[in-house]
Short mmCIF file of all heavy atoms in Angstrom, two decimals:
data_model
loop_
_atom_site.label_atom_id
_atom_site.label_comp_id
_atom_site.label_asym_id
_atom_site.label_seq_id
_atom_site.Cartn_x
_atom_site.Cartn_y
_atom_site.Cartn_z
N SER A 1 0.84 -1.19 0.00
CA SER A 1 0.00 0.00 0.00
C SER A 1 0.88 1.24 0.00
O SER A 1 1.61 1.50 0.95
CB SER A 1 -0.91 0.00 1.23
OG SER A 1 -1.71 1.17 1.25
N LEU A 2 0.85 1.99 -1.12
CA LEU A 2 1.61 3.23 -1.23
C LEU A 2 0.66 4.41 -1.08
O LEU A 2 -0.44 4.40 -1.65
CB LEU A 2 2.33 3.30 -2.58
CG LEU A 2 3.46 2.29 -2.78
CD1 LEU A 2 4.04 2.42 -4.17
CD2 LEU A 2 4.54 2.47 -1.74
N PRO A 3 1.06 5.41 -0.34
CA PRO A 3 0.17 6.55 -0.09
C PRO A 3 -0.26 7.23 -1.39
O PRO A 3 0.57 7.69 -2.17
CB PRO A 3 1.03 7.49 0.77
CG PRO A 3 2.08 6.63 1.36
CD PRO A 3 2.34 5.55 0.37
N GLY A 4 -1.57 7.28 -1.63
CA GLY A 4 -2.11 8.02 -2.75
C GLY A 4 -1.85 7.43 -4.11
O GLY A 4 -1.99 8.13 -5.11
N GLN A 5 -1.46 6.15 -4.21
CA GLN A 5 -1.12 5.56 -5.49
C GLN A 5 -2.00 4.36 -5.82
O GLN A 5 -1.54 3.36 -6.35
CB GLN A 5 0.36 5.14 -5.51
CG GLN A 5 1.36 6.24 -5.22
CD GLN A 5 1.31 7.37 -6.25
OE1 GLN A 5 0.55 7.33 -7.20
NE2 GLN A 5 2.13 8.39 -6.04
N ASP A 6 -3.28 4.45 -5.51
CA ASP A 6 -4.19 3.35 -5.79
C ASP A 6 -4.32 3.09 -7.29
O ASP A 6 -4.38 1.94 -7.74
CB ASP A 6 -5.57 3.64 -5.20
CG ASP A 6 -5.57 3.54 -3.67
OD1 ASP A 6 -4.64 2.90 -3.15
OD2 ASP A 6 -6.48 4.09 -3.04
N LEU A 7 -4.36 4.16 -8.09
CA LEU A 7 -4.48 3.99 -9.54
C LEU A 7 -3.22 3.34 -10.10
O LEU A 7 -3.30 2.50 -11.00
CB LEU A 7 -4.72 5.34 -10.21
CG LEU A 7 -5.03 5.29 -11.72
CD1 LEU A 7 -6.28 4.47 -11.98
CD2 LEU A 7 -5.17 6.69 -12.29
N ALA A 8 -2.06 3.68 -9.56
CA ALA A 8 -0.82 3.07 -10.01
C ALA A 8 -0.79 1.58 -9.67
O ALA A 8 -0.32 0.76 -10.47
CB ALA A 8 0.37 3.78 -9.37
N ARG A 9 -1.29 1.24 -8.50
CA ARG A 9 -1.34 -0.17 -8.11
C ARG A 9 -2.28 -0.94 -9.02
O ARG A 9 -2.03 -2.09 -9.38
CB ARG A 9 -1.76 -0.28 -6.65
CG ARG A 9 -0.75 0.30 -5.68
CD ARG A 9 -1.29 0.50 -4.28
NE ARG A 9 -1.63 -0.78 -3.66
CZ ARG A 9 -2.82 -1.07 -3.17
NH1 ARG A 9 -3.82 -0.18 -3.26
NH2 ARG A 9 -3.04 -2.23 -2.61
N GLN A 10 -3.38 -0.32 -9.41
CA GLN A 10 -4.29 -0.97 -10.35
C GLN A 10 -3.63 -1.15 -11.71
O GLN A 10 -3.78 -2.19 -12.35
CB GLN A 10 -5.56 -0.13 -10.50
CG GLN A 10 -6.59 -0.76 -11.44
CD GLN A 10 -7.82 0.12 -11.62
OE1 GLN A 10 -7.97 1.12 -10.94
NE2 GLN A 10 -8.68 -0.28 -12.54
N GLY A 11 -2.87 -0.14 -12.14
CA GLY A 11 -2.16 -0.27 -13.41
C GLY A 11 -1.13 -1.38 -13.38
O GLY A 11 -0.94 -2.10 -14.37
N LEU A 12 -0.47 -1.56 -12.23
CA LEU A 12 0.51 -2.63 -12.12
C LEU A 12 -0.17 -4.00 -12.18
O LEU A 12 0.35 -4.95 -12.78
CB LEU A 12 1.28 -2.48 -10.81
CG LEU A 12 2.69 -3.06 -10.79
CD1 LEU A 12 3.57 -2.33 -11.77
CD2 LEU A 12 3.28 -2.97 -9.39
N ALA A 13 -1.35 -4.12 -11.57
CA ALA A 13 -2.10 -5.38 -11.64
C ALA A 13 -2.52 -5.68 -13.07
O ALA A 13 -2.47 -6.83 -13.52
CB ALA A 13 -3.31 -5.31 -10.72
N ILE A 14 -2.95 -4.66 -13.82
CA ILE A 14 -3.33 -4.86 -15.22
C ILE A 14 -2.13 -5.28 -16.05
O ILE A 14 -2.22 -6.17 -16.90
CB ILE A 14 -3.97 -3.58 -15.78
CG1 ILE A 14 -5.29 -3.28 -15.05
CG2 ILE A 14 -4.21 -3.68 -17.27
CD1 ILE A 14 -5.91 -1.95 -15.43
N ALA A 15 -0.98 -4.63 -15.80
CA ALA A 15 0.24 -4.99 -16.52
C ALA A 15 0.63 -6.44 -16.25
O ALA A 15 1.04 -7.17 -17.17
CB ALA A 15 1.37 -4.05 -16.12
N ALA A 16 0.50 -6.89 -15.00
CA ALA A 16 0.86 -8.27 -14.65
C ALA A 16 -0.11 -9.27 -15.28
O ALA A 16 0.30 -10.34 -15.73
CB ALA A 16 0.89 -8.43 -13.14
N ALA A 17 -1.37 -8.93 -15.31
CA ALA A 17 -2.38 -9.87 -15.82
C ALA A 17 -2.30 -10.02 -17.33
O ALA A 17 -2.33 -11.13 -17.86
CB ALA A 17 -3.78 -9.42 -15.40
N GLY A 18 -2.21 -8.90 -18.04
CA GLY A 18 -2.25 -8.95 -19.50
C GLY A 18 -0.91 -8.85 -20.19
O GLY A 18 -0.84 -8.89 -21.42
N GLY A 19 0.19 -8.69 -19.41
CA GLY A 19 1.51 -8.55 -20.00
C GLY A 19 1.71 -7.21 -20.67
O GLY A 19 2.56 -7.08 -21.56
N HIS A 20 0.96 -6.18 -20.26
CA HIS A 20 1.03 -4.88 -20.92
C HIS A 20 2.25 -4.09 -20.46
O HIS A 20 2.64 -4.15 -19.29
CB HIS A 20 -0.25 -4.08 -20.61
CG HIS A 20 -1.51 -4.75 -21.03
ND1 HIS A 20 -1.89 -4.85 -22.35
CD2 HIS A 20 -2.48 -5.38 -20.31
CE1 HIS A 20 -3.05 -5.50 -22.42
NE2 HIS A 20 -3.41 -5.84 -21.20
N HIS A 21 2.81 -3.32 -21.40
CA HIS A 21 3.93 -2.44 -21.06
C HIS A 21 3.41 -1.22 -20.33
O HIS A 21 2.34 -0.69 -20.65
CB HIS A 21 4.67 -2.02 -22.33
CG HIS A 21 5.14 -3.18 -23.16
ND1 HIS A 21 5.78 -4.26 -22.60
CD2 HIS A 21 5.07 -3.43 -24.49
CE1 HIS A 21 6.09 -5.13 -23.57
NE2 HIS A 21 5.66 -4.65 -24.71
N LEU A 22 4.21 -0.73 -19.37
CA LEU A 22 3.74 0.31 -18.46
C LEU A 22 4.75 1.45 -18.38
O LEU A 22 5.96 1.20 -18.25
CB LEU A 22 3.51 -0.29 -17.06
CG LEU A 22 3.16 0.66 -15.91
CD1 LEU A 22 1.82 1.34 -16.17
CD2 LEU A 22 3.12 -0.11 -14.60
N LEU A 23 4.27 2.67 -18.48
CA LEU A 23 5.09 3.86 -18.30
C LEU A 23 4.60 4.61 -17.07
O LEU A 23 3.41 4.95 -16.97
CB LEU A 23 5.01 4.77 -19.53
CG LEU A 23 5.66 6.16 -19.39
CD1 LEU A 23 7.17 6.02 -19.18
CD2 LEU A 23 5.37 7.03 -20.61
N LEU A 24 5.50 4.86 -16.13
CA LEU A 24 5.20 5.60 -14.91
C LEU A 24 5.92 6.93 -14.95
O LEU A 24 7.15 6.97 -15.08
CB LEU A 24 5.63 4.81 -13.67
CG LEU A 24 4.99 3.43 -13.47
CD1 LEU A 24 5.65 2.70 -12.32
CD2 LEU A 24 3.50 3.56 -13.23
N VAL A 25 5.17 8.01 -14.86
CA VAL A 25 5.74 9.35 -14.89
C VAL A 25 5.37 10.05 -13.59
O VAL A 25 4.19 10.13 -13.24
CB VAL A 25 5.21 10.16 -16.10
CG1 VAL A 25 5.84 11.55 -16.11
CG2 VAL A 25 5.50 9.43 -17.40
N GLY A 26 6.37 10.53 -12.88
CA GLY A 26 6.09 11.20 -11.61
C GLY A 26 7.33 11.82 -11.02
O GLY A 26 8.46 11.52 -11.45
N PRO A 27 7.16 12.69 -10.04
CA PRO A 27 8.30 13.37 -9.42
C PRO A 27 9.14 12.40 -8.60
O PRO A 27 8.71 11.28 -8.29
CB PRO A 27 7.63 14.42 -8.53
CG PRO A 27 6.29 13.85 -8.22
CD PRO A 27 5.87 13.10 -9.45
N PRO A 28 10.34 12.78 -8.24
CA PRO A 28 11.20 11.89 -7.43
C PRO A 28 10.54 11.52 -6.11
O PRO A 28 9.89 12.35 -5.45
CB PRO A 28 12.46 12.75 -7.20
CG PRO A 28 12.46 13.76 -8.29
CD PRO A 28 11.03 14.05 -8.59
N GLY A 29 10.69 10.25 -5.74
CA GLY A 29 10.20 9.78 -4.44
C GLY A 29 8.73 9.45 -4.39
O GLY A 29 8.20 9.21 -3.29
N CYS A 30 8.03 9.38 -5.52
CA CYS A 30 6.59 9.10 -5.50
C CYS A 30 6.28 7.61 -5.54
O CYS A 30 5.12 7.22 -5.44
CB CYS A 30 5.89 9.82 -6.64
SG CYS A 30 6.34 9.24 -8.28
N GLY A 31 7.30 6.75 -5.70
CA GLY A 31 7.07 5.30 -5.63
C GLY A 31 7.20 4.56 -6.94
O GLY A 31 6.79 3.40 -7.02
N LYS A 32 7.78 5.16 -7.99
CA LYS A 32 7.89 4.48 -9.29
C LYS A 32 8.73 3.21 -9.19
O LYS A 32 8.33 2.14 -9.66
CB LYS A 32 8.50 5.45 -10.32
CG LYS A 32 7.72 6.75 -10.52
CD LYS A 32 8.28 7.57 -11.64
CE LYS A 32 9.69 8.06 -11.40
NZ LYS A 32 9.77 9.04 -10.30
N THR A 33 9.90 3.33 -8.60
CA THR A 33 10.81 2.17 -8.51
C THR A 33 10.24 1.10 -7.59
O THR A 33 10.36 -0.11 -7.88
CB THR A 33 12.19 2.63 -7.99
OG1 THR A 33 12.70 3.64 -8.87
CG2 THR A 33 13.16 1.47 -7.95
N VAL A 34 9.61 1.49 -6.50
CA VAL A 34 9.01 0.51 -5.58
C VAL A 34 7.94 -0.29 -6.29
O VAL A 34 7.86 -1.52 -6.16
CB VAL A 34 8.43 1.23 -4.34
CG1 VAL A 34 7.67 0.24 -3.46
CG2 VAL A 34 9.52 1.90 -3.55
N LEU A 35 7.10 0.36 -7.07
CA LEU A 35 6.05 -0.33 -7.81
C LEU A 35 6.63 -1.30 -8.82
O LEU A 35 6.17 -2.45 -8.95
CB LEU A 35 5.15 0.68 -8.52
CG LEU A 35 4.18 1.46 -7.63
CD1 LEU A 35 3.58 2.63 -8.41
CD2 LEU A 35 3.07 0.56 -7.12
N ALA A 36 7.66 -0.87 -9.54
CA ALA A 36 8.26 -1.73 -10.57
C ALA A 36 8.85 -3.00 -9.97
O ALA A 36 8.73 -4.09 -10.55
CB ALA A 36 9.32 -0.96 -11.34
N HIS A 37 9.47 -2.88 -8.82
CA HIS A 37 10.11 -4.04 -8.20
C HIS A 37 9.09 -5.04 -7.64
O HIS A 37 9.46 -6.18 -7.36
CB HIS A 37 11.06 -3.59 -7.08
CG HIS A 37 12.39 -3.13 -7.58
ND1 HIS A 37 13.48 -3.97 -7.69
CD2 HIS A 37 12.82 -1.91 -8.02
CE1 HIS A 37 14.51 -3.30 -8.15
NE2 HIS A 37 14.13 -2.04 -8.37
N GLN A 38 7.84 -4.64 -7.51
CA GLN A 38 6.82 -5.56 -7.03
C GLN A 38 6.20 -6.40 -8.14
O GLN A 38 5.56 -7.42 -7.87
CB GLN A 38 5.70 -4.78 -6.33
CG GLN A 38 6.11 -4.11 -5.03
CD GLN A 38 4.94 -3.42 -4.38
OE1 GLN A 38 3.97 -4.04 -3.97
NE2 GLN A 38 5.01 -2.10 -4.31
N LEU A 39 6.40 -5.98 -9.39
CA LEU A 39 5.72 -6.65 -10.49
C LEU A 39 6.08 -8.13 -10.64
O LEU A 39 5.18 -8.96 -10.86
CB LEU A 39 5.99 -5.90 -11.80
CG LEU A 39 5.27 -6.41 -13.04
CD1 LEU A 39 3.76 -6.47 -12.82
CD2 LEU A 39 5.58 -5.53 -14.26
N PRO A 40 7.35 -8.56 -10.56
CA PRO A 40 7.65 -9.98 -10.75
C PRO A 40 6.91 -10.91 -9.79
O PRO A 40 6.52 -12.02 -10.15
CB PRO A 40 9.17 -10.06 -10.52
CG PRO A 40 9.67 -8.69 -10.83
CD PRO A 40 8.58 -7.76 -10.38
N SER A 41 6.68 -10.46 -8.55
CA SER A 41 5.99 -11.31 -7.58
C SER A 41 4.51 -11.47 -7.89
O SER A 41 3.86 -12.39 -7.37
CB SER A 41 6.15 -10.73 -6.16
OG SER A 41 5.55 -9.46 -6.07
N LEU A 42 3.97 -10.60 -8.75
CA LEU A 42 2.56 -10.71 -9.12
C LEU A 42 2.35 -11.59 -10.35
O LEU A 42 1.23 -12.01 -10.63
CB LEU A 42 1.98 -9.32 -9.40
CG LEU A 42 1.93 -8.36 -8.21
CD1 LEU A 42 1.42 -7.00 -8.67
CD2 LEU A 42 1.05 -8.90 -7.11
#
């Protein structure tokens, strides 16, 4: 659970389910790298 990133978490679930490529754009420290590192486990 990342603060304020529910839509990003949903996008990561869609990427894992359908194999879709994902682009994350955001300021430093908003959780882009943390989200990416969680994808293999899903």
Side-chain angles (χ1 to χ4, degrees):
S1 179
L2 293 177
Q5 302 298 359
D6 288 341
L7 187 60
R9 294 166 65 236
Q10 182 182 352
L12 207 64
I14 295 174
H20 302 287
H21 305 314
L22 174 64
L23 171 64
L24 300 173
V25 181
C30 66
K32 302 186 296 293
T33 303
V34 174
L35 286 168
H37 279 268
Q38 292 183 65
L39 184 55
S41 63
L42 296 176

